[in-house]
């Protein structure tokens, strides 16, 4: 008997439906059982009617009540009473906190201008309302610096869009129809669990599943084959695959002729990319590349699940741009279950959000935009570093001269993010957060590494306690979240906190008087694009989630209609040329490989290793790290090393090792395993620094430097020395 049915017959229980807020493609709809008498949530499970959730939650969210009712929940506003970063706070009443924060912000704006205020946020919640909803209104009204949200997906997003036009692709449920599935830079069983049943359905019908990854992940273990590749080299693999496909005439000439642009240029671009050349770069044997190309071109439908793991590299954008040429070349888009999927976010690109975010409140002002990956630089008093922190999307966007960098950041307002743990170049971030003259406010559910550096910590509600609407990036169902329980302690939704901050600053605009329900209702009502036809507030309330109004099955590019400038899949892109890129696919090597090729100064040590830090299974970025059950499951901060790399450094399993480069160093426990390509180490992330040896985590060694596209992050493009730590 399903839990829904079991509780439905229990008169002491009410069932409330909602949706998981976390940064994951699955955006699972859930149901919560609430004891009527106490108002306490007693159970949570996956929504049984949701076609992707299918009644099941992941191991983390299945235990969500442990997080919601955790003893560490912040329940009152806190004011700093010790030195910056010491984590010493005293509770204060809301009215006092708001009055004092309002006063400080006003003084900072009066002295330095509103651009001296920097909001810092990411996807702690992906809700449209508790994410950027009222926050955007607040910062637009203020004229604060804007934040380019580059920390996750930007390089790959840009690369995908150059080729295909928007992040649309295979519908998740259609993977069941594929006969060959390439899982490329994705650890599906960890970070996209709800795709797996569709992969399994395909396998039952005879599909082969191949995983292209530097690590033999649990997904690779569960698949038919692990294709081990050196990190950041995927572009070379794709170029060689296309070389073989074109050389052997295995491409779909009719699809290419009708629906693509620049086949001649593509042919020229791949001509020199023999499998042998790619093998030397990727570590994938030439014969395997050749066979993979044939298998891919001749098995239909062929699906590629590409994900963000492969684009956290200097050449990540170009690699994504290149790989996304493959499905059009072989005509995979013709078939249900054929094509590629990076994200479904582009399927929602017509969502009208200006009524919620109110960019008009900028009233003609155009504040600077700061690249969130360069928080360390942004917080610097050095104007040339601040200039570098300006968002530069493309090579043609210049770095401003230092005298145009704008004022130093004097106030930082953090919500839905934990930059002291997750942002690159942790030493630089911390040096900024430690500044005595920086005023920092953190809206949080828990006392994170970042909250430790705050002047004021404001307690925020969790998804069980507030309203929201979720726009997923892994499927096509828009979902409503209804509050199931009252706020824990004195916590408030982000929406209400920003409303009160607006009042504290004297912002009288009527938009700050709208209730959460009102804003969400208006958001739904504001949609005019046909894709949202039939999605009404009433249906969301009654059903919990509603599918986007696109055909079923949804095969976006069966007959072309790519949302590119030419309407075709662009093997050749004028837009790329204009933006400062080669217009046809090329190989852009990762920085770690370039650095490794430099002559070494001292030869008394084995050469440095490439380092990647993809998610630990039980954590979600740095969320869940403080929940005992999940911390126990992950044990301790680890470094996976190939046996040969360990032997060369006289490192034994379980040894404490130091991982270091010019940016910093971190201590981890060695885990010797052949589940990683030789020459690369893997540190599962993202541990809270305060739970790590020495109070530092792997982002001590990751760089602020941008990837090739979208000013994206380069978390997995790092060269490190690994030594036994004495
Ligand atoms: N449990 C859990 N789920 C999550 C998250 C989490 O932290 N925990 N994070 C969420 C978020 S924010 C995101 S963005 C997604 C991330 O999920 P994914 O997009 O899947 O990205 P990652 O997990 O970073 O990396 C996936 C795989 O890529 C591999 N990889 C690294 N570099 C390369 C490379 O150069 N080439 C190839 N082929 N593979 C490479 C890694 O070893 C890893 O196995 O997942 C979301 N879901
Ligand atoms: N080394 C390394 N670093 C990485 C990555 C990696 O793979 N390796 N992954 C990168 C990626 S893909 C991403 S997306 C970023 C993620 O970076 P973040 O978006 O910062 O993600 P989290 O670490 O999960 O932190 C989110 C915080 O938001 C809080 N939160 C959740 N809901 C709410 C709410 O409603 N209100 C408020 N006020 N707070 C809330 C949570 O408690 C949590 O502390 O990290 C990046 N950093
Ligand atoms: Mo992410």
């Amino acid at each position: 008997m399903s839990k829904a049915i079991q509780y439905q017959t229990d008169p002491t229980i009410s069932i409330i439906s909602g949706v998981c807020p976390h940064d994951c493609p699955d955006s699972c709809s859930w149901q919560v059982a609430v004891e009527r008498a106490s108002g306490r949530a007693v159970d949570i499970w996956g929504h049984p009617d949701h076609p992707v959730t299918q009644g099941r939650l992941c191991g983390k969210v299945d235990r969500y009540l442990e997080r919601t009712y955790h003893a560490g929940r912040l329940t009152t506003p806190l004011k700093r009473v010790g030195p910056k970063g010491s984590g010493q706070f005293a509770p204060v009443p809301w009215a006092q906190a708001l009055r004092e924060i309002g006063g400080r912000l006003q003084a900072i704006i009066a002295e330095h201008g509103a651009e001296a205020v920097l909001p810092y946020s990411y996807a702690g919640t992906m809700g449209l309302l508790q994410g950027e909803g009222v926050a955007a209104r607040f910062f637009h009204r203020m004229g604060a610096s804007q934040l380019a949200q580059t920390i996750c997906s930007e390089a790959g997003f840009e690369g995908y869009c150059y080729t295909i036009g928007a992040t649309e692709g295979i519908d998740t449920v259609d993977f069941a129809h594929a006969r060959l599935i390439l899982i490329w830079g994705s650890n599906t069983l960890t970070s996209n669990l709800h795709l797996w049943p569709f992969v399994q359905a395909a396998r039952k019908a005879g599909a082969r599943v191949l995983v292209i990854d530097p690590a033999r992940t649990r997904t690779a273990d569960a698949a038919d084959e692990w294709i081990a590749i050196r990190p950041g080299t995927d572009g070379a693999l794709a170029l060689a695959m296309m070389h073989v496909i074109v050389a052997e005439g295995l491409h779909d000439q009719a699809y290419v002729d009708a629906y693509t642009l620049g086949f001649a240029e593509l042919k020229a671009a791949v001509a020199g990319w023999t499998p042998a050349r790619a093998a030397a770069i990727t570590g994938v044997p030439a014969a395997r590349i050749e066979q993979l190309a044939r298998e891919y071109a001749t098995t239909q439908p062929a699906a590629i699940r590409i994900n963000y793991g492969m684009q956290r590299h200097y050449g990540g954008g170009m690699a994504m741009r290149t790989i996304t040429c493959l499905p059009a070349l072989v005509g995979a888009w013709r078939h249900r279950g054929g094509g590629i999927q990076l994200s479904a976010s582009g399927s929602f690109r017509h969502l009208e959000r200006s009524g919620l975010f109110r960019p008009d409140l900028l009233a003609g002002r155009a504040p600077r935009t700061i690249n969130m990956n360069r928080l360390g630089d942004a917080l610097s008093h050095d104007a040339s570093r601040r200039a570098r922190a300006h968002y530069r999307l493309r090579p043609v966007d210049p770095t401003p001269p230092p005298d145009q960098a704008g004022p130093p950041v004097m106030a930082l307002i953090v919500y839905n993010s934990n930059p002291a743990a997750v942002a690159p170049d942790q030493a630089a971030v911390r040096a900024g957060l430690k500044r005595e003259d920086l005023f920092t406010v953190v809206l949080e559910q828990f006392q994170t590494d970042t909250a430790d550096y705050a002047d004021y910590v404001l307690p925020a509600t969790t998804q069980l306690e507030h309203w929201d609407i979720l726009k997923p990036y892994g499927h096509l169902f828009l979902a409503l979240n209804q509050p199931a329980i009252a706020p824990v302690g004195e916590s408030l939704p982000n929406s209400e906190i920003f409303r009160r901050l607006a009042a504290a600053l004297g912002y009288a605009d009527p938009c700050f008087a709208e209730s959460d329900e009102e804003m969400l209702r208006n958001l739904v009502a504001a949609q005019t694009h046909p894709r949202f036809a039939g999605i009404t507030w009433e249906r969301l309330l009654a059903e919990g989630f509603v599918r986007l109004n696109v055909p079923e099955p949804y095969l976006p590019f069966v007959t072309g209609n790519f949302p590119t400038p030419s309407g075709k899949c662009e093997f050749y892109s004028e837009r790329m040329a204009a933006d400062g890129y080669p217009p046809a696919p090329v190989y852009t090597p990762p920085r770690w490989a370039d650095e490794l090729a430099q002559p070494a100064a001292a030869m008394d040590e084995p050469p440095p290793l490439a380092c990647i830090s993809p998610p630990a299974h039980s954590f979600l970025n740095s969320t869940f790290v403080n929940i005992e059950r999940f911390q126990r499951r992950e044990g301790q901060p680890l470094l996976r090393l190939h046996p040969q790399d360990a032997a060369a450094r006289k490192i034994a399993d379980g040894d404490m090792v130091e991982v270091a480069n010019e940016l910093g160093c971190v201590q981890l426990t060695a885990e010797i395993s052949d589940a990683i390509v030789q020459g690369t180490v893997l540190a599962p992330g993202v541990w809270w620094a305060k739970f790590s040896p020495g109070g530092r985590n792997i982002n001590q060694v990751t760089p602020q430097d941008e990837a090739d596209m979208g000013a994206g992050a380069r978390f997995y493009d790092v060269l490190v020395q690994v030594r036994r730590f004495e």
Side-chain angles (χ1 to χ4, degrees), residues 550-601:
V550 290
E552 199 166 2
Y554 186 47
L555 279 61
F557 311 127
V558 165
T559 52
N561 293 314
F562 290 90
T564 53
S566 64
K568 298 189 170 186
C569 176
E570 298 198 347
F571 297 154
Y572 180 89
S573 163
E574 291 288 353
R575 208 154 57 88
M576 290 184 77
D579 288 349
Y581 299 103
V586 293
Y587 176 57
T588 307
R591 284 286 194 242
W592 71 259
D594 284 347
E595 287 167 22
L596 196 60
Q598 304 292 318

Side-chain angles (χ1 to χ4, degrees), residues 23 122-123 151-153 308 312 473 621:
D23 188 353
Y122 201 63
I151 204 164
C152 172
S153 56
Y308 294 111
R312 305 190 205 289
Y473 65 93
N621 301 317

